[in-house]
Amino acid sequence: GQNIDQPTEMTATEGAIVQINCTYQTSGFNGLFWYQQHAGEAPTFLSYNVLDGLEEKGRFSSFLSRSKGYSYLLLKELQMKDSASYLCAYGSSNTGKLIFGQGTTLQVKP
Amino acid sequence: DSGVTQTPKHLITATGQRVTLRCSPRSGDLSVYWYQQSLDQGLQFLIQYYNGEERAKGNILERFSAQQFPDLHSELNLSSLELGDSALYFCASSVSSYNEQFFGPGTRLTVL
């Protein structure tokens, strides 16, 4: 199957930390991707995990556990501009195509 | 700016018509992907080309077709358009099938 799940909406406060979870089930896997998408705009690449563990990139970090089919995106020191949709996707091991979750809409409040 | 270009930015047409969406990948990228994003479906993979050849197909309707040309640009053809085809269509490119994909700005298609 090609199931991938993430929360629909989250709200957090400016300056805080938020964790967006993603779970997936697939028979073929070639890494877990996170993208940010502002309304009406193109998704922009944030991070890629292919091995278990934490990848840190500035204010953003992403974690992967392949055995649990689980990933999270951690956003620190939230800014108003971080209000966006965050898309979790796994790569197909056969072709590299991305299978996306529905996205998590994050609202950052002052 | 991802380096991926798409034209046109907006397209308004009537049911039953045919349209062509165009995509130019980033310089050096051999893989091109097409995705459809509608409000109720999220981002859905349609089709992938690698160096001119079809590599994978997703939930692409028979009314839709695509191709990648020798200069690596790609076109997505949508025919016999229906109201439900109204969506954002994104093109993405990557160096190979196993690298991050970079998305173009999208074409917003409205079928009236």
Side-chain angles (χ1 to χ4, degrees):
Chain A
Q2 299 180 334
N3 298 318
I4 182 164
D5 195 37
Q6 52 183 127
T8 304
E9 294 178 343
M10 298 184 72
T11 302
T13 305
E14 191 176 16
I17 299 173
V18 70
Q19 178 175 312
I20 303 174
N21 295 324
C22 172
T23 57
Y24 64 90
Q25 292 179 318
T26 180
S27 54
F29 178 81
N30 184 43
L32 198 291
F33 297 80
W34 285 95
Y35 283 80
Q36 180 192 61
Q37 185 179 28
H38 286 96
E41 298 182 8
T44 55
F45 171 75
L46 289 178
S47 70
Y48 170 54
N49 295 67
V50 65
L51 300 176
D52 288 357
L54 188 68
E55 292 280 341
E56 297 187 76
K57 195 185 288 187
R59 293 190 299 115
F60 293 3
S61 302
S62 57
F63 172 84
L64 175 66
S65 169
R66 289 173 297 171
S67 62
K68 295 182 180 178
Y70 168 69
S71 173
Y72 68 72
L73 179 69
L74 194 70
L75 293 78
K76 304 175 187 175
E77 301 169 15
L78 281 172
Q79 302 174 10
M80 298 299 291
K81 68 178 182 179
D82 296 329
S83 293
S85 182
Y86 291 85
L87 310 176
C88 169
Y90 65 79
S92 165
S93 60
N94 293 329
T95 66
K97 69 184 183 185
L98 294 180
I99 304 301
F100 283 88
Q102 288 288 97
T104 298
T105 301
L106 173 66
Q107 185 179 17
V108 180
K109 295 186 173 180
Chain B
D1 185 356
S2 67
V4 180
T5 61
Q6 286 187 250
T7 57
K9 194 170 177 62
H10 299 280
L11 199 50
I12 301 175
T13 188
T15 54
Q17 295 299 303
R18 173 190 168 93
V19 297
T20 297
L21 313 183
R22 183 188 169 101
C23 167
S24 292
R26 293 187 321 159
S27 177
D29 285 358
L30 299 179
S31 270
V32 170
Y33 308 78
W34 286 97
Y35 294 88
Q36 179 192 56
Q37 187 174 41
S38 53
L39 283 174
D40 57 345
Q41 291 291 324
L43 259 173
Q44 299 287 315
F45 169 74
L46 295 177
I47 196 163
Q48 176 199 3
Y49 282 85
Y50 179 81
N51 202 21
E53 295 190 1
E54 183 183 302
R55 174 64 67 91
K57 262 186 173 180
N59 299 321
I60 187 167
L61 301 171
E62 285 192 14
R63 300 183 285 109
F64 296 1
S65 65
Q67 59 185 131
Q68 186 179 29
F69 295 86
D71 66 351
L72 301 179
H73 91 271
S74 178
E75 292 181 356
L76 179 67
N77 301 296
L78 315 177
S79 62
S80 302
L81 285 168
E82 302 175 358
L83 295 177
D85 297 328
S86 295
L88 263 171
Y89 291 84
F90 288 105
C91 166
S93 74
S94 64
V95 170
S96 72
S97 296
Y98 305 102
N99 293 86
E100 62 267 30
Q101 296 176 22
F102 294 88
F103 284 75
T107 293
R108 182 174 292 281
L109 174 67
T110 302
V111 182
L112 301 175

